[in-house]
Structure formats: structure tokens, C-alpha cells
Amino acid sequence: MKTLYITDLDGTLLNKNAAVSDFTAETINSLIANGLDFSYATARSLVTSANITKRINISLPVITNNGTFA
């Protein structure tokens, strides 16, 4: 059975500049290329979060807007 890894963005995946560091992007992309199932959940909107994470090759669905949309 595979494990799905899900991270938050703010205060977890992003650095103090609210960006994905080069090291983080390279590491996660390498893991994804080797079969890691990776995604994120955030309170940010889809547009904002997609812009911040555009350097990560996420092919799975993501959770945005705290999982809700009004």
C-alpha cells in the first residue's frame, strides 16, 4: 500500500519569505519522480497556492480554501 503525503503551505512547506526554496522544490520533485504521492492542503485560494507551488510537479488533487468554497 502506498502512502499519500500531504503538507500545509504556510509555516510548513514555505520558507520565511512565503516561497518554496530551491532545495525544497528539487527534493520534492525528485521524490515525486521516484513515485512519492505528494499534495498539499491550505487555506489559500487555488490561484494563490498554484502560483507559489508552480515549481513543484504536483499531479494529484490539492485542497484549497480550507477545503470549502462559499
Side-chain angles (χ1 to χ4, degrees):
M1 172 169 37
K2 287 186 80 171
T3 301
L4 171 61
Y5 292 89
I6 301 176
T7 186
D8 183 30
L9 295 182
D10 295 292
T12 307
L13 187 70
L14 305 180
N15 61 22
K16 64 183 177 183
N17 299 318
V20 175
S21 71
D22 292 339
F23 175 80
T24 298
E26 290 169 12
T27 301
I28 292 174
N29 285 334
S30 176
L31 292 168
I32 291 170
N34 285 298
L36 178 78
D37 286 335
F38 181 85
S39 187
Y40 62 83
T42 183
R44 292 175 178 261
S45 71
L46 179 59
V47 172
T48 303
S49 60
N51 187 45
I52 290 172
T53 61
K54 63 186 171 194
R55 296 179 357 174
I56 300 175
N57 301 323
I58 298 172
S59 61
L60 298 175
V62 297
I63 299 168
T64 59
N65 299 88
N66 279 331
T68 64
F69 193 80

